[in-house]
Amino acid sequence: MDRAAELAILHSLLHYAETKTTALADSAWDNPVSAYICPDRHRREEAVLIRGRPLVWGLSCDWPKPGSYRTDDYAGVPVLTVRGQDGTLRAFINACRHRGTKVANGEGDARVFICPYHAWTYRDDGTLRAVPEADCFPGVLASRPGLTALPLAEKYGMVWVLPTPGSPDLDIDPWLGELAGDLAFWKLDGYHLHARQVHYEDMNWKLPIDTFLESYHFGPLHGETLRRILKPNICDFRAFGPSARLVYARPKLDRLRETPESEWDLMWNSTIVYQMFANTIFSPQGDHIEIFRVFPVDGRPDRAVMETSLYIPKPVETEDEKRHWDANLALAMKVITTEDFPAGKSMQIGFGSGAQTHVIYGRNEPALTHYHRSIRAALGLEVA
Ligand code: FES
Ligand SMILES: [Fe+2]
């Protein structure tokens, strides 16, 4: 994105506000309800969309120094990510090469990982450093030189992991296409993690993503909350391959009509939502960044986990600053967990009820149609 693109988005939002319209799809679109409930379809989604593509794993600041590590099992594979003493961030399957125990848990700082079972020890570049009673395992260092690597990319201040074993170097640009230009624009290297929350919910993993992809519901569902912060049913939309960018207008956008164009600022007058295919929402929000990663749980089409991370421009130094950012996250999570999630759970029950074979996305919900058509295309299903 450049200055011209920034201004074009603001002009389009002003136009939508003036004419009481929004970005429109060519037509409304029917999506089979099976997309949310069918176990066979779900298995295919896990293989293709979750374990077959690079997924956003966080921002570079999540691993601030050599030895910083994180673990999670969300993708159905135990993953250990660690920044080595050489500064390189690497990803591994978090399974000891002896008998498979996890060599690390949670997150923290470590120079070595000692398997809790028999104390095989790994360096922070994943190589196997020591095997107790090594004589009993002839040739083990040659046959099992280290933890099994996963492809990882760190670029634009963001990190991606492809949770299937392969060459550790991942070239992310072909996957991003023109989205790379937008990511560079946000200068993500300068942010710091403030807080992270994890929520498990009884709904398909795509429903938490869906809720970010239209502003049609802001008035009815968020009448007392988001409705006051964002204009309902107004959105600028652009697809980037299977991913997409949505820009929602804040009420103060109207003031731009009396402001010289040279002073117009996109981030302060909007909330921006990137659907980063297929399981991540990346959202620059005025003065901070939110990232939501959503995964299926236990192979179930009706269970999901969402990890929310809030990143801020500089680490908090005072109690006041901490209170400010805590309140910011609390408000976002209140809206999501007490308004969006109950609606999502209710939809999941509705999907299973047999009420209808298809749901419908309106012309004013182009990002939903784009997301679900992109999923069908990735799964090799017919895209009507
Ligand atoms: S399983 Fe890790 S050392 Fe035995
Ligand atoms: Fe919502």
Side-chain angles (χ1 to χ4, degrees):
M1 181 152 42
D2 55 16
R3 179 67 181 155
E6 200 179 348
L7 290 176
I9 294 168
L10 288 167
H11 276 294
S12 118
L13 290 176
L14 283 168
H15 169 73
Y16 291 146
E18 217 163 86
T19 54
K20 299 202 180 337
T21 181
T22 182
L24 295 172
D26 292 340
S27 60
W29 189 66
D30 288 334
N31 195 21
V33 167
S34 58
Y36 296 95
I37 59 174
C38 169
D40 289 340
R41 155 92 186 232
H42 182 74
R43 270 191 289 280
R44 180 111 186 97
E45 287 186 357
E46 288 196 320
V48 174
L49 303 176
I50 302 296
R51 283 197 287 283
R53 300 180 58 89
L55 306 177
V56 173
W57 223 256
L59 296 188
S60 292
C61 61
D62 287 312
W63 299 265
K65 52 183 191 288
S68 299
Y69 75 88
R70 298 193 63 209
T71 63
D72 75 52
D73 300 354
Y74 296 137
V77 179
V79 177
L80 165 64
T81 40
V82 53
R83 196 175 292 289
Q85 298 307 308
D86 59 357
T88 303
L89 186 62
R90 298 177 178 86
F92 305 99
I93 296 190
N94 185 11
C96 178
R97 296 301 305 277
H98 177 213
R99 300 242 297 278
T101 309
K102 283 184 187 176
V103 301
N105 287 288
E107 57 185 77
D109 293 301
R111 281 187 87 105
V112 293
F113 299 97
I114 303 172
C115 179
Y117 206 170
H118 313 92
W120 284 28
T121 302
Y122 300 85
R123 299 179 187 89
D124 61 12
D125 64 359
T127 53
L128 181 55
R129 189 178 82 167
V131 173
E133 315 295 339
D135 292 351
C136 300
F137 298 88
V140 72
L141 280 173
S143 66
R144 291 152 191 270
L147 297 169
T148 300
L150 297 171
L152 179 146
E154 181 173 27
K155 202 165 182 184
Y156 313 113
M158 193 172 263
V159 172
W160 293 261
V161 172
L162 199 167
T164 292
S167 160
D169 296 321
L170 171 64
D171 180 7
I172 198 64
D173 285 327
W175 293 91
L176 294 176
E178 289 184 47
L179 191 57
D182 271 42
L183 291 183
F185 177 83
W186 296 114
K187 300 187 173 42
L188 299 174
D189 278 321
Y191 283 84
H192 304 266
L193 177 72
H194 177 64
R196 183 169 279 134
Q197 290 193 7
V198 175
H199 293 273
Y200 286 82
E201 295 292 335
D202 287 329
M203 67 181 81
N204 183 269
W205 68 278
K206 299 183 294 301
L207 281 174
I209 301 286
D210 284 357
T211 199
F212 288 93
L213 300 188
E214 43 88 7
S215 55
Y216 181 36
H217 76 285
F218 288 1
L221 190 67
H222 303 309
E224 297 304 314
T225 52
L226 216 51
R227 168 72 180 86
R228 297 164 190 266
I229 302 167
L230 295 172
K231 287 171 174 280
N233 214 18
I234 287 184
C235 175
D236 180 81
F237 168 74
R238 181 186 162 178
F240 294 89
S243 298
R245 180 186 68 210
L246 298 89
V247 186
Y248 296 126
R250 295 180 185 230
K252 65 183 173 187
L253 176 90
D254 293 325
R255 286 192 229 144
L256 293 185
R257 293 197 179 87
E258 282 81 49
T259 310
E261 204 179 84
S262 59
E263 293 170 25
W264 289 14
D265 182 276
L266 177 62
M267 195 151 168
W268 281 99
N269 288 288
S270 67
T271 281
I272 302 161
V273 166
Y274 290 89
Q275 177 273 105
M276 295 186 66
F277 198 70
N279 75 329
T280 300
I281 297 292
F282 159 61
S283 183
Q285 302 240 353
D287 52 359
H288 67 279
I289 302 273
E290 291 170 10
I291 294 184
F292 304 88
R293 303 163 67 221
V294 189
F295 295 84
V297 173
D298 294 338
R300 286 170 52 179
D302 61 350
R303 185 94 172 131
V305 58
M306 183 172 88
E307 181 201 69
T308 303
S309 305
L310 183 126
Y311 300 91
I312 57 179
K314 64 181 188 59
V316 294
E317 285 169 0
T318 66
E319 269 307 305
D320 267 2
E321 286 174 1
K322 182 173 175 343
R323 263 196 296 276
H324 168 78
W325 292 117
D326 285 350
N328 223 303
L329 181 60
L331 174 65
M333 296 321 292
K334 178 171 178 276
V335 172
I336 292 169
T337 61
T338 70
E339 297 176 3
D340 289 307
F341 282 173
K345 279 188 257 189
S346 158
M347 288 160 77
Q348 190 71 35
I349 293 166
F351 294 153
S353 71
Q356 55 188 353
T357 58
H358 291 71
V359 291
I360 183 164
Y361 309 132
R363 288 194 64 204
N364 59 343
E365 304 176 293
L368 278 177
T369 294
H370 177 70
Y371 178 52
H372 288 278
R373 287 170 71 107
S374 299
I375 288 175
R376 287 187 71 83
L379 297 177
L381 298 170
E382 187 193 347
V383 183

